[in-house]
């Protein structure tokens, strides 16, 4: 089914999360490459791997997935701070 949202969070590297944040900000792969000082081909590969890991079909579905799983924050939407392990120990 096109645009489906995966039922579980994927294991993503810090770089992959960084790229998702830039996709959510509306940057093209070329602009992401410029910002991160890597090649566009590397960004293309990251995007392809991210889409596979998240079981999403396109950039829109990817951003929806990232919002659902708290991987990105857009304009103060979905920006709650999740408790950390340290917070749990103190409580």
């Amino acid at each position: 089914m096109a645009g489906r949202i995966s039922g579980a969070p994927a294991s993503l590297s810090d770089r992959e999360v960084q790229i998702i944040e830039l996709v959510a900000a509306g940057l093209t792969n070329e602009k992401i490459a410029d910002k991160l000082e890597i090649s566009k081909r590397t960004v293309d590969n990251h995007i392809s791997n991210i889409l596979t890991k998240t079981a999403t079909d396109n950039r829109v579905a990817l951003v929806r997935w990232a919002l659902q799983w708290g991987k990105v924050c857009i304009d103060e939407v979905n920006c709650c701070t999740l408790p950390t392990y340290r917070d749990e120990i103190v409580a």
Side-chain angles (χ1 to χ4, degrees), residues 19-75:
I19 288 174
I20 292 172
E21 290 171 347
L22 296 172
V23 168
L27 274 65
T28 64
N29 287 9
E30 186 173 308
K31 289 183 180 182
I32 293 170
D34 289 343
K35 185 167 184 73
L36 299 179
E37 298 179 348
I38 58 178
S39 74
K40 181 186 172 293
R41 184 172 179 168
T42 299
V43 174
D44 293 342
N45 288 335
H46 279 303
I47 296 287
S48 178
N49 291 337
I50 293 165
L51 292 175
T52 299
K53 285 181 175 184
T54 59
T56 53
D57 300 324
N58 56 59
R59 294 165 82 91
V60 171
L62 174 61
V63 171
R64 288 175 46 101
W65 177 93
L67 284 167
Q68 175 187 9
W69 292 106
K71 301 292 185 183
V72 297
C73 172
I74 299 175
D75 298 328

